[in-house]
Every structure is written in structure tokens, then in C-alpha cells.
Amino acid sequence: RFNTFSNSYDLSKYSDELANECTPGIDNSLWILSSSFNELRKYNLQTNQLIFANPLSVDMVNVTHMRAFQNLVIISDKEEGIYFFDQFGNLLTQIELAGIDHFQIQSGKVIFLCEQGIVTLDPFQPNSYETIKAPEGAFKGLLKSDTTYFLIRSGDVLVYRRF
């Protein structure tokens, strides 16, 4: 029962250079991670105009996911961990956890699977986080419901409950 159509954006309207990742912002904007200039850029979706481009002080080579959440932009890198940026594209903090392919945000918490296990953290206090030992296996992704974790492999899904 979906009554609206999903939005799609032609990235060529916003940027001619190579874009690693992009995500819609909460304020009718589009965030683009530009690998050509190593910048985090914010565009106005109504006017297609660049709001600002902030040069990054870190090199993110293996970016796997990017998402805007409230006044933050969160970017995961497979080798370097997860980065938190403010609404102006300034790096707030980096959590060095290798192996993050994807993250989700549920009930205001960032949840992801990495080499250390299943990690849950508050994006506004990311330096203190909870890690749960994950089952062994080559998992491609993780989805979480209230107390159940769905660990996704190529051919099956492992249901993991925390009591």
C-alpha cells in the first residue's frame, strides 16, 4: 500500500565528476561524496545548485554506504570504519572498525555488522558502543528487528535472537 512514487535523481545535473556515494538530505538536499576532488558536497534539489563543497581531511577509498540522519551525514568505509559529519560536512569523529558493508538506522541507533561483531551505537555519542558477538560466517548484510537479527549470506538468511 504505497501511495507515493520513489524519487530518483539524475546525478549529472549536480556533478560532472565522479561520485562515490550519494544520499538525500533531510532539508530537500542531496549529499554527494566526490572522489574526483575528495570533497563532501551538498546540493539543493530544487535549484540543482551547489550549497557548499567541503574538502575532506581523510581519504575514503572503500566507501560502502552513506546516509543522512537528522543533522548528521554518516559514511562507512570497508577498511577504515565509520565516519560522522555535521550538517556542514565537517568531520566530527571516526570509529575505526573494519569490515562494514552497510549500516541501518533504527530507533535512533546505528546498527551494522563488522569484523568485531554486531555493533549498535548512538550517532550523537558514537565513541561508546555495544558489540554483540556475531555467528561465524561470510555474511553480506544485517537487518534487525526488535530482538531478532537477520544475517544475510548469498544463499540463505540466519535468524539470530538475543535474549
Side-chain angles (χ1 to χ4, degrees):
R1 294 174 140 204
F2 296 101
N3 294 327
T4 61
F5 294 100
S6 62
N7 291 330
S8 61
Y9 304 103
D10 180 6
L11 294 181
S12 65
K13 291 181 182 177
Y14 302 99
S15 182
D16 291 331
E17 72 274 353
L18 185 61
N20 277 20
E21 289 281 329
C22 66
T23 188
I26 60 166
D27 55 354
N28 204 26
S29 62
L30 182 69
W31 288 92
I32 295 179
L33 180 61
S34 165
S35 57
S36 297
F37 298 106
N38 196 35
E39 292 178 331
L40 188 55
R41 295 175 164 217
K42 186 175 183 180
Y43 289 88
N44 183 314
L45 285 173
Q46 301 266 305
T47 64
N48 301 336
Q49 296 296 312
L50 177 68
I51 298 170
F52 61 78
N54 197 350
L56 298 175
S57 59
V58 293
D59 287 325
M60 290 182 270
V61 179
N62 295 310
V63 174
T64 56
H65 190 59
M66 179 176 176
R67 179 128 178 237
F69 174 69
Q70 293 185 12
N71 64 337
L72 300 174
V73 176
I74 306 168
I75 302 174
S76 62
D77 183 289
K78 181 92 171 166
E79 305 297 324
E80 302 297 327
I82 192 161
Y83 297 88
F84 295 86
F85 295 88
D86 68 13
Q87 69 269 23
F88 303 110
N90 299 308
L91 179 63
L92 297 172
T93 191
Q94 173 194 2
I95 307 298
E96 294 181 20
L97 294 169
I100 304 170
D101 282 320
H102 182 79
F103 59 86
Q104 73 181 68
I105 299 172
Q106 181 183 19
S107 301
K109 302 287 185 186
V110 179
I111 304 161
F112 55 87
L113 180 66
C114 66
E115 291 175 3
Q116 287 76 10
I118 300 168
V119 176
T120 303
L121 61 83
D122 180 338
F124 298 101
Q125 298 175 354
N127 290 316
S128 63
Y129 52 87
E130 176 187 19
T131 305
I132 301 168
K133 184 170 172 40
E136 297 287 325
F139 298 106
K140 295 187 174 283
L142 167 79
L143 293 174
K144 181 186 182 294
S145 66
D146 293 330
T147 58
T148 307
Y149 297 89
F150 300 93
L151 296 134
I152 303 162
R153 288 191 275 228
S154 337
D156 63 343
V157 175
L158 176 67
V159 178
Y160 187 64
R161 285 201 175 93
R162 183 172 180 207
F163 296 100

XYZ file of all heavy atoms in Angstrom, residues 67 104-111 143-146:
102
model
N 24.556 7.847 4.438
C 23.175 8.179 4.809
C 23.144 9.461 5.624
O 24.000 9.683 6.478
C 22.597 7.032 5.623
C 21.212 7.256 6.088
C 20.292 6.119 5.742
N 18.981 6.420 6.269
C 18.319 5.661 7.097
N 18.812 4.521 7.480
N 17.138 6.010 7.522
N 22.330 0.322 9.147
C 20.946 0.766 9.174
C 20.752 1.641 10.405
O 21.545 1.580 11.342
C 19.974 -0.415 9.192
C 19.921 -1.157 10.516
C 18.956 -2.328 10.485
O 19.200 -3.302 9.798
N 17.872 -2.221 11.214
N 19.708 2.444 10.357
C 19.373 3.284 11.500
C 17.982 2.869 11.954
O 17.034 2.871 11.166
C 19.429 4.775 11.142
C 20.841 5.134 10.691
C 18.987 5.627 12.327
C 20.997 6.517 10.136
N 17.906 2.468 13.219
C 16.636 2.017 13.777
C 16.504 2.572 15.179
O 17.426 2.444 15.990
C 16.585 0.488 13.810
C 15.292 -0.040 14.350
C 15.293 -1.564 14.434
O 16.327 -2.202 14.420
N 14.122 -2.117 14.526
N 15.385 3.211 15.457
C 15.113 3.815 16.770
C 16.248 4.746 17.202
O 16.650 4.752 18.368
C 14.884 2.728 17.822
O 13.814 1.899 17.461
N 16.799 5.494 16.260
C 17.846 6.456 16.569
C 19.220 5.854 16.796
O 20.142 6.569 17.176
N 19.386 4.564 16.536
C 20.677 3.890 16.720
C 21.204 3.430 15.367
O 20.445 3.008 14.498
C 20.547 2.663 17.632
C 20.002 2.966 19.003
C 20.999 3.656 19.851
C 20.463 3.826 21.271
N 21.308 4.603 22.093
N 22.528 3.491 15.200
C 23.186 2.982 14.002
C 23.586 1.535 14.297
O 24.214 1.260 15.320
C 24.426 3.825 13.641
C 25.124 3.265 12.409
C 24.041 5.281 13.424
N 23.216 0.624 13.408
C 23.463 -0.805 13.612
C 24.180 -1.347 12.377
O 23.754 -1.074 11.243
C 22.137 -1.568 13.813
C 21.363 -0.958 14.977
C 22.388 -3.055 14.036
C 19.903 -1.304 14.999
N 20.068 -7.203 8.976
C 18.845 -6.454 9.238
C 18.433 -6.771 10.660
O 18.611 -7.894 11.132
C 17.727 -6.860 8.280
C 17.923 -6.511 6.818
C 16.809 -7.112 5.974
C 17.965 -5.008 6.624
N 17.886 -5.798 11.359
C 17.496 -6.003 12.746
C 16.043 -5.608 12.938
O 15.598 -4.587 12.429
C 18.379 -5.164 13.671
C 18.041 -5.360 15.147
C 18.824 -4.405 16.015
C 18.542 -4.594 17.472
N 17.206 -4.275 17.886
N 15.327 -6.450 13.669
C 14.009 -6.071 14.170
C 14.188 -5.883 15.675
O 15.308 -5.735 16.138
C 12.954 -7.125 13.821
O 13.209 -8.325 14.503
N 13.136 -5.922 16.454
C 13.251 -5.627 17.888
C 14.337 -6.419 18.603
O 15.274 -5.852 19.143
C 11.906 -5.845 18.588
C 10.868 -4.839 18.134
O 11.267 -3.715 17.777
O 9.685 -5.166 18.123
